[in-house]
Amino acid sequence: MAAPLIVAVAALAFTVASFWWLNARRGRLVAAALDAYAVGNPPDDLMLRLPLAIHNTGAKALVVGNLRCRFPDSDAPDQPWRTTRKILGTGPGDVEDDATPFPVEGRHAVPKVIEFGDRSTAVKLSPRTYRVLIEVDHTLAGSAGTTWRKLVEFDLHVDSKALHGNYVAHRNLANGSGNP
């Protein structure tokens, strides 16, 4: 009698765990390291456009409430999410929206071109390699405070070509940027 009971309890536990894993598990947001970027670097301003594919590893949808760009190896201030763009470069109507929260469905990825920067805290880029950390706040509604979590961390290779002209897309290559 004990063997059938053990089998039944194990089957029930497997069913409940499988349901939770497939339908109710809360994941996290992640993104891949970047292979391209665009920068506008006028005096006293920074406009850094990064193409992000934001993936939700869980089953439940998560909302990207806010994003920020940090340069952890320097004393540069955090660069806030400025706008969401349609394309990496410039073109007619390339502004998709201001910094507006958006959902990422469970087990899906959402491509976005995010522009970071702020005139009041602008970082003046020069030709060199920067360590960049993109953080996301996907705190659930009703939660107190902001909870920043790492979305992606990578090296941004800025060469002199990237700093001449606005929003020309460049490959993020250690041996020099090139137009994609």
Side-chain angles (χ1 to χ4, degrees):
M1 196 64 131
L5 181 61
I6 292 171
V7 170
V9 169
L12 178 63
F14 176 78
T15 302
V16 170
S18 296
F19 178 84
W20 172 82
W21 184 263
L22 294 173
N23 299 298
R25 180 176 53 92
R26 183 165 189 235
R28 60 189 177 92
L29 297 173
V30 296
L34 309 178
D35 68 347
Y37 68 95
V39 65
N41 203 20
D44 303 322
D45 203 356
L46 171 68
M47 297 168 286
L48 179 62
R49 292 185 185 179
L50 302 175
L52 300 173
I54 301 172
H55 178 253
N56 181 352
T57 64
K60 292 175 71 173
L62 294 173
V63 174
V64 174
N66 202 357
L67 294 163
R68 72 178 176 187
C69 176
R70 298 183 59 222
F71 297 91
D73 293 341
S74 73
D75 58 352
D78 297 344
Q79 298 300 297
W81 177 13
R82 194 176 212 168
T83 58
T84 303
R85 301 297 182 145
K86 291 181 181 175
I87 58 175
L88 189 56
T90 57
D94 74 337
V95 177
E96 182 175 316
D97 209 342
D98 289 326
T100 304
F102 60 91
V104 181
E105 293 297 323
R107 295 185 293 274
H108 284 83
V110 175
K112 295 284 183 181
V113 177
I114 304 295
E115 182 177 75
F116 295 98
D118 184 22
R119 289 173 201 227
S120 64
T121 61
V123 174
K124 189 66 177 168
L125 297 179
S126 58
R128 71 179 187 94
T129 298
Y130 295 87
R131 190 75 187 153
V132 174
L133 172 64
I134 306 298
E135 293 179 315
V136 62
D137 173 29
H138 57 87
T139 305
L140 297 174
S143 299
T146 300
T147 304
W148 292 106
R149 293 193 171 108
K150 180 172 114 173
L151 182 66
V152 63
E153 189 170 7
F154 60 95
D155 288 331
L156 181 68
H157 305 287
V158 178
D159 70 7
S160 59
K161 293 179 204 170
L163 300 174
H164 297 295
N166 281 335
Y167 300 120
V168 175
H170 292 276
R171 291 283 180 207
N172 190 25
L173 303 173
N175 59 353
S177 297
N179 292 341

